[in-house]
Amino acid sequence: MSRRATVAHVSRSLALSQILAMLALLGSCRERGEQGDTVDFVVSDSTVVRLGAVGDEPLYQVRGAFVHHDTLYIAQNSTPVIAMFSTSGRLLGTIGGRGDGPGEFNAISWMQRADSGFFVYDRTSRRLSRFAFNGDYIGSWRTPVLRDYASVQPVGVFQDGSVLSRATARSPTPTRPRTFRGVSQLLRLSPDSADRLLLDSLVESEEYEEPRPRGGGFWTLLPFGRRTDVVVSDNGFAVLSDDSTLQWSSRDGRRTRVDTLTGGPPKRISQSDIEWARSRFAEGAPSTSRLVETFNRMPQPVYLPRHGSLGDRPTSMLRLTGARRVWVLRASPPQRLSQVWEVVSIDGRSRVLVGASSPLELLDEFDGFAVVLAWDRNGVERVEVRRLLRATVR
């Protein structure tokens, strides 16, 4: 049965209450944001397929998902495995498991589809593994330790097999409480050689750090300073900056275009706000209460790259889907909507706004459906397939 036929068969079995809710949503007014923008599409509140477990194990720490033909692939870190489901919700099998052997994982960080399979990155083992769509293990590559950097974290793979990595510079151990900004560099690394190419330099978010009595240091991110997020396509990458621009580059680092997002530039933060936040972090309050109080005071940018959150959950700010569109999560959605994405096509020819009435993390999209990560008030996770509906004016 084809993917369209499978999803259609599942959707016909929806309960009457779900169908009525869907119709009500179709007839709702388009939401208007603070800058006058309207939402073009909404993610339905009704669920076509809901996945909450892999066999007897509940889903937890989902790190990504994508659809290929009639199969939904879900990466979760708690087990850790790649689970394969049919688009009707039937478990087809799992890939991997905990361990250090070929095709095994210790801590899954992200997953990316490719033309003939997909990649999975294990941050603990520093290993990037490649699989065929049927689950066969193809091979792996271990991230090199570069003397000039504190860490090198892959963020995606180009079509030619080279790896875009984010390399963070070393910083000295703090001897007193301080705030600082680190610098990272985007490097293109070749798995089959020692070649590396510097593509871009990025100023990281401002951080607060203080020494530990027994050595080492404690650090946490402050809610101001430059923030960035990166997404990789076949032959290039896009960087999201807190000036509300999406900067596109080829895989050799050449800038190809800059998209100004509709949210506009972030709200200005005064020097007194910065000094107040620094003093709060330098006091002896527990770190959690410091963060909460500081975030409540600081004006937030419309787009909060890299360190976004939905309630108390961190989430990715950028997502490249199988429809060759980049979804940019907006941190300040219009009233009556829980969140909004600005969706930009890779070729730059189309741009729409998509809203949702409840907190979700977008994982993938296909044929007018969205694959999302949802959770209840207790933090129990579930992956759901929902319709993308056009928002109409009453």
Side-chain angles (χ1 to χ4, degrees):
M1 185 179 293
S2 68
R3 179 173 63 195
R4 291 180 182 271
T6 302
V7 174
H9 173 74
V10 174
S11 62
R12 281 197 296 268
S13 64
L14 294 172
L16 178 60
S17 59
Q18 292 177 310
I19 297 175
L20 291 175
M22 207 178 296
L23 292 174
L25 191 53
L26 275 169
S28 61
C29 292
R30 300 175 76 185
E31 300 288 351
R32 183 168 296 276
E34 296 176 356
Q35 289 79 24
D37 51 314
T38 56
V39 173
D40 303 290
F41 294 87
V42 291
V43 179
S44 172
D45 290 332
S46 301
T47 300
V48 177
V49 176
R50 175 176 294 173
L51 304 171
V54 179
D56 296 330
E57 293 290 330
L59 284 175
Y60 184 56
Q61 297 180 346
V62 172
R63 293 294 183 258
F66 68 87
V67 174
H68 175 72
H69 290 172
D70 295 331
T71 303
L72 172 61
Y73 298 78
I74 300 175
Q76 69 164 6
N77 186 44
S78 59
T79 308
V81 297
I82 309 300
M84 299 183 295
F85 292 88
S86 69
T87 48
S88 61
R90 181 170 60 90
L91 178 64
L92 302 176
T94 59
I95 303 170
R98 190 174 302 279
D100 296 311
E104 295 179 330
F105 318 107
N106 286 296
I108 296 176
S109 180
W110 52 263
M111 177 174 63
Q112 176 188 333
R113 97 188 80 209
D115 289 341
S116 58
F118 59 95
F119 295 90
V120 181
Y121 181 63
D122 183 339
R123 67 177 182 272
T124 299
S125 303
R126 305 194 340 270
R127 186 170 58 187
L128 182 66
S129 299
R130 185 176 181 180
F131 297 87
F133 287 119
N134 63 4
D136 289 346
Y137 171 74
I138 297 176
S140 64
W141 171 73
R142 195 176 297 273
T143 306
V145 176
L146 301 180
R147 182 179 57 184
D148 301 333
Y149 302 100
S151 66
V152 179
Q153 295 293 328
V155 295
V157 183
F158 295 121
Q159 191 174 38
D160 66 353
S162 58
V163 180
L164 182 68
S165 298
R166 193 169 190 156
T168 305
R170 298 182 183 276
S171 59
T173 302
T175 58
R176 57 184 177 82
R178 65 175 183 176
T179 58
F180 69 101
R181 289 184 182 179
V183 177
S184 67
Q185 296 179 332
L186 290 179
L187 304 177
R188 196 182 81 192
L189 304 178
S190 177
D192 55 2
S193 69
D195 293 343
R196 63 180 180 181
L197 177 65
L198 173 62
L199 302 181
D200 203 354
S201 295
L202 301 172
V203 179
E204 298 284 2
S205 301
E206 188 163 9
E207 300 173 351
Y208 170 79
E209 192 173 51
E210 63 183 29
R212 293 288 193 187
R214 297 183 180 180
F218 162 83
W219 67 273
T220 187
L221 291 163
L222 293 178
F224 46 81
R226 177 170 174 152
R227 294 172 171 83
T228 55
D229 200 1
V230 182
V231 67
V232 176
S233 62
D234 292 341
N235 295 304
F237 62 96
V239 173
L240 177 64
S241 176
D242 70 346
D243 62 358
S244 296
T245 60
L246 195 59
Q247 302 167 5
W248 299 81
S249 300
S250 63
R251 67 185 181 198
D252 60 2
R254 179 175 52 87
R255 186 65 46 81
T256 56
R257 79 172 193 266
V258 176
D259 292 334
T260 300
L261 303 172
T262 58
K267 299 176 182 178
R268 299 184 64 85
I269 298 174
S270 68
Q271 186 62 33
S272 63
D273 287 330
I274 295 175
E275 296 300 328
W276 179 89
R278 287 173 173 167
S279 67
R280 287 298 305 158
F281 277 83
E283 294 174 7
S287 58
T288 301
S289 64
R290 298 180 203 170
L291 269 177
V292 170
E293 187 174 355
T294 303
F295 267 90
N296 286 342
R297 173 183 168 91
M298 305 297 289
Q300 295 299 302
V302 173
Y303 294 95
L304 191 61
R306 190 180 177 201
H307 309 298
S309 63
L310 297 175
D312 58 355
R313 293 181 61 93
T315 185
S316 172
M317 302 304 296
L318 289 178
R319 183 74 68 180
L320 175 64
T321 70
R324 299 184 61 79
R325 303 197 299 178
V326 174
W327 289 53
V328 186
L329 178 62
R330 184 168 173 168
S332 300
Q335 295 179 357
R336 301 182 301 280
L337 285 177
S338 177
Q339 64 197 76
V340 168
W341 297 268
E342 184 159 355
V343 184
V344 183
S345 63
I346 290 181
D347 60 13
R349 295 179 180 178
S350 68
R351 184 186 302 188
V352 296
L353 292 180
V354 180
S357 61
S358 60
L360 303 169
E361 180 164 1
L362 188 281
L363 301 175
D364 198 12
E365 61 171 322
F366 68 100
D367 296 344
F369 293 86
V371 181
V372 298
L373 175 63
W375 51 88
D376 61 21
R377 64 181 60 186
N378 297 317
V380 177
E381 298 179 7
R382 58 189 184 273
V383 173
E384 299 178 347
V385 177
R386 301 189 183 187
R387 293 182 182 275
L388 287 173
L389 305 174
R390 181 173 292 277
T392 58
V393 180
R394 204 190 321 261

